[in-house]
Amino acid sequence: MDADPKVAIELRWGIEMHADNAGQYGQTAMDLMARFEIPPTPHNYLVWYSYAAKENAALLRTIDILIADGRTFTDAWCDDLYFQFFGQADDAAILSALAENMEESLAGTIAQILEASADTSQFGSALSDVKGKLNALTDAKDETKALVAALLTATQRMERRTLKLEQQLNQSSSQIQDLRNDLESVRTEALTDPLTGIGNRKAFDNYLREKAMHAMEEGSDLCLILCDIDHFKKVNDQWGHQIGDKVLELVSQCLTETAGSQAICCRYGGEEFAFIVPAQQLQQACDLADILRLALCEKCVMNRASGASVGTVTMSFGVAQFAFGEPLPSLIERADTALYAAKHNGRNQVMSEADIPKEPGDQIAIAG
């Protein structure tokens, strides 16, 4: 089970995630960022929220020194602060929790102000009515009229201040919503392979955990396909890394379009891709892998700059089926073993865990 980001932030930096101070810390962070002309990015917000909370002594000391020295908080300085203190953290989840708490806090505060504003407005109307009646009376004392007039003036002044505070809080609420939108972008970028546009290794890990849990809960099948481009190093060596990148893009596009909704495709690393195949048994997943293999064999890669043919790209595939309750690294290991068996057996083919020798002495020697 994933750690609660609210707990994680307390463990890492000791920042209390209570609604009664989250709004105060958040507004202080926004004010400081505006004062020092710091862009309100998610990373910068995390740094300055932590500074406002005064719980991270090292961060507090560092920023205080920078302020005392009159340093300008350039983008480079801001990046250094983030990576020095938070570079290894799951900042998207933590910032999302911060934003959620601040929104709850601000929503409660705005509701209270609106209620107080309504009461103040009613009180002001009542005083205005009393003033009108007093002015109509010939025997009302001047002191009484002056007192009511002063109270009415003070009430009107308070109404204006309340309205201004309400506007400021609404603006802060809008800023927080913008921050949450930025966080969604950060989260998407963190799970996307920048070259191919499909899920990266982190996304794969998340999807596999999710689908394995669902399979156990529903008693349904789940398979994993790992595939690797054959002789990809030769493509890079002969044609250069730019052509190699184009090959990866082509392969990604072909695989995802062919698989469609049957499987989740991610870039596992380098020239290796992974497919998480829900609700399919081992043979069905092998059939899908062969469909993917054949679809790719039909593609011919061309060098647009020279018009030369790079050739046909082939892939080797390894398939394994999830056993309920097993550690996920075991599933990955079996699929990976089947993949390298396919490479050892001549490449451009599909092998499953069922094809792997089970005897201890029948280990497969993998060539490079």
Side-chain angles (χ1 to χ4, degrees):
M1 183 179 294
D2 292 339
D4 185 341
K6 297 180 182 180
V7 175
I9 197 169
E10 289 174 2
L11 291 176
R12 288 172 179 150
W13 305 300
I15 298 175
E16 303 254 342
M17 296 286 294
H18 301 306
D20 57 352
N21 55 27
Q24 176 186 345
Y25 294 157
Q27 189 57 57
T28 301
M30 293 287 192
D31 292 343
L32 288 169
M33 290 163 66
R35 172 186 168 189
F36 294 114
E37 299 181 347
I38 297 171
T41 65
H43 287 174
N44 289 341
Y45 179 78
L46 179 56
V47 170
W48 288 93
Y49 182 100
S50 304
Y51 176 78
K54 300 184 185 302
E55 294 289 344
N56 188 323
L59 173 65
L60 192 66
R61 187 165 51 251
T62 300
I63 291 181
D64 282 344
I65 291 173
L66 292 174
I67 293 174
D69 288 347
R71 296 290 184 93
T72 299
F73 286 91
T74 62
D75 290 343
W77 270 112
C78 291
D79 289 343
D80 285 346
L81 285 170
Y82 169 75
F83 286 110
Q84 180 180 349
F85 293 99
F86 308 106
Q88 301 300 318
D90 187 2
D91 53 302
I94 293 167
L95 281 167
S96 181
L98 289 175
E100 181 181 348
N101 274 282
M102 288 182 62
E103 278 191 319
E104 292 174 358
S105 176
L106 277 177
T109 303
I110 291 173
Q112 292 175 1
I113 288 175
L114 289 175
E115 183 179 351
S117 178
D119 292 341
T120 302
S121 181
Q122 291 175 1
F123 182 58
S125 297
L127 283 177
S128 181
D129 185 53
V130 169
K131 181 182 178 184
K133 291 179 179 179
L134 285 174
N135 288 336
L137 295 175
T138 56
D139 57 346
K141 294 184 178 180
D142 291 340
E143 292 84 353
T144 304
K145 293 181 181 179
L147 176 60
V148 173
L151 286 173
L152 181 58
T153 300
T155 303
Q156 291 170 341
R157 187 183 302 116
M158 183 165 56
E159 283 182 337
R160 289 192 296 270
R161 289 178 178 175
T162 302
L163 178 61
K164 183 178 180 181
L165 178 57
E166 180 187 339
Q167 292 171 341
Q168 290 174 338
L169 286 172
N170 282 327
Q171 182 181 5
S172 296
S173 182
S174 176
Q175 290 174 334
I176 292 173
Q177 184 58 50
D178 290 342
L179 175 63
R180 295 196 72 172
N181 292 338
D182 289 343
L183 288 173
E184 289 303 319
S185 298
V186 169
R187 185 177 291 109
T188 299
E189 290 176 6
L191 298 174
T192 302
D193 175 57
L195 177 63
T196 62
I198 63 176
N200 60 14
R201 177 62 182 271
K202 185 174 182 179
F204 165 79
D205 291 338
N206 292 344
Y207 285 133
L208 187 59
R209 280 197 304 269
E210 175 188 333
K211 296 303 179 183
M213 184 178 298
H214 178 78
M216 288 190 291
E217 290 173 350
E218 300 295 325
S220 58
D221 295 310
L222 177 69
C223 287
L224 173 64
I225 301 173
L226 293 182
C227 50
D228 186 274
I229 300 175
D230 297 327
H231 303 297
F232 185 69
K233 185 176 183 300
K234 291 182 179 179
V235 174
N236 279 332
D237 290 345
Q238 182 175 352
W239 298 96
H241 287 279
Q242 286 189 332
I243 296 297
D245 287 348
K246 291 298 180 183
V247 170
L248 288 170
E249 292 181 59
L250 171 67
V251 168
S252 171
Q253 182 180 358
C254 178
L255 293 176
T256 52
E257 289 179 353
T258 304
S261 60
Q262 297 180 77
I264 300 170
C265 180
C266 296
R267 186 178 177 190
Y268 192 70
E271 66 269 28
E272 195 168 354
F273 294 80
F275 288 86
I276 301 168
V277 191
Q280 300 288 323
Q281 295 183 349
L282 185 64
Q283 186 56 53
Q284 293 171 304
C286 287
D287 292 342
L288 173 60
D290 206 47
I291 291 172
L292 295 170
R293 182 185 68 82
L294 292 172
L296 188 63
C297 287
E298 297 175 356
K299 305 292 183 182
C300 183
V301 182
M302 301 292 295
N303 184 346
R304 290 182 179 178
S306 64
S309 172
V310 177
T312 300
V313 178
T314 65
M315 296 187 78
S316 301
F317 294 77
V319 188
Q321 183 167 351
F322 176 58
F324 292 163
E326 73 168 321
L328 294 180
S330 298
L331 171 64
I332 296 172
E333 182 180 2
R334 294 201 308 279
D336 198 49
T337 300
L339 165 61
Y340 280 95
K343 283 189 170 293
H344 176 76
N345 202 42
R347 294 181 170 83
N348 190 24
Q349 59 185 279
V350 177
M351 293 190 71
S352 76
E353 59 178 321
D355 302 316
I356 305 301
K358 297 299 190 294
E359 295 299 323
D362 292 337
Q363 298 285 334
I364 296 173
I366 305 299

